[in-house]
Amino acid sequence: MLRLNLSKYDKLIKTLSIIPVLIGFLTISESFLPKKNIETKVVSKNESYRAKFDRTTYNIYFDNNNDQFTEEIFNDFEVGDDVILTTSYFHEETSKITKKESGKTYENSTGEVYIQYIFAIIFLLPALSWIKKRSLSNKQSKYIIFIILFSLTDLYRILK
């Protein structure tokens, strides 16, 4: 079995760990930054049922964004509706959606923001490697590499 000695890449791993740490701080900073309002239009809707978890998800797709919503919101909006999304600054997670026609505002209470904060905490964990004087163990290196790779998907989402 091939066994990698990741300890020789210790400095590189510690340097690259700045990526998830910065993304973690960006995510946490969103709770202090003002929300963005995005004027857009409903392009399509998708309802999917996961039998394994006995859960239905309700997705609404917009011109330049998409998000999961509660069943009530999903049913009250139709394709072609003009809306105003109130979103977080970087991730553009929808907290409110306003139907322009009626002016009615709906709170999006799917709880996705809490998952974002859990990821932010996980992304901050590699910063602990900076205070370790000795080399990282193979196991620690693998965890940090996994977090770095996972955080790159979040970085892509922010930059997109």
Side-chain angles (χ1 to χ4, degrees):
M1 179 183 200
L2 180 64
R3 185 173 170 109
L4 292 173
N5 183 7
L6 295 174
S7 61
K8 60 184 172 182
Y9 301 108
D10 184 66
K11 288 185 181 177
L12 178 63
I13 293 169
K14 285 181 178 182
T15 303
L16 288 176
S17 69
I18 191 84
I19 296 167
V21 171
L22 285 176
I23 293 171
F25 280 126
L26 282 177
T27 303
I28 290 171
S29 73
E30 284 183 320
S31 61
F32 304 108
L33 293 173
K35 302 284 186 193
K36 288 196 304 190
N37 286 328
I38 301 171
E39 292 189 28
T40 187
K41 180 180 283 208
V42 176
V43 175
S44 67
K45 296 169 39 173
N46 180 33
E47 178 180 339
S48 60
Y49 177 73
R50 307 249 192 268
K52 184 176 182 180
F53 300 109
D54 191 31
R55 182 169 183 246
T56 303
T57 56
Y58 303 95
N59 295 305
I60 300 178
Y61 299 89
F62 307 97
D63 283 332
N64 50 3
N65 198 346
N66 66 61
D67 216 328
Q68 290 183 3
F69 294 92
T70 61
E71 184 178 8
E72 174 197 6
I73 295 171
F74 182 83
N75 292 332
D76 283 353
F77 287 86
E78 298 299 327
V79 173
D81 284 347
D82 289 320
V83 298
I84 299 172
L85 303 176
T86 303
T87 67
S88 60
Y89 195 80
F90 296 113
H91 288 90
E92 294 186 348
E93 286 291 331
T94 305
S95 59
K96 295 179 189 174
I97 181 169
T98 303
K99 195 179 239 184
K100 282 178 101 175
E101 181 182 289
S102 66
K104 187 172 181 185
T105 300
Y106 301 82
E107 296 281 333
N108 187 16
S109 58
T110 58
E112 287 184 54
V113 68
Y114 300 115
I115 294 171
Q116 286 287 330
Y117 291 137
I118 290 170
F119 280 125
I121 292 168
I122 292 169
F123 290 162
L124 292 173
L125 290 177
L128 295 174
S129 69
W130 301 340
I131 58 175
K132 186 172 182 183
K133 299 289 184 211
R134 293 181 287 141
S135 293
L136 298 170
S137 70
N138 265 355
K139 192 174 189 177
Q140 290 169 331
S141 296
K142 287 177 188 177
Y143 286 138
I144 293 172
I145 289 170
F146 177 76
I147 292 171
I148 291 168
L149 292 174
F150 194 73
S151 70
L152 289 175
T153 60
D154 210 28
L155 178 63
Y156 173 76
R157 187 175 173 206
I158 290 171
L159 295 176
K160 183 180 84 153

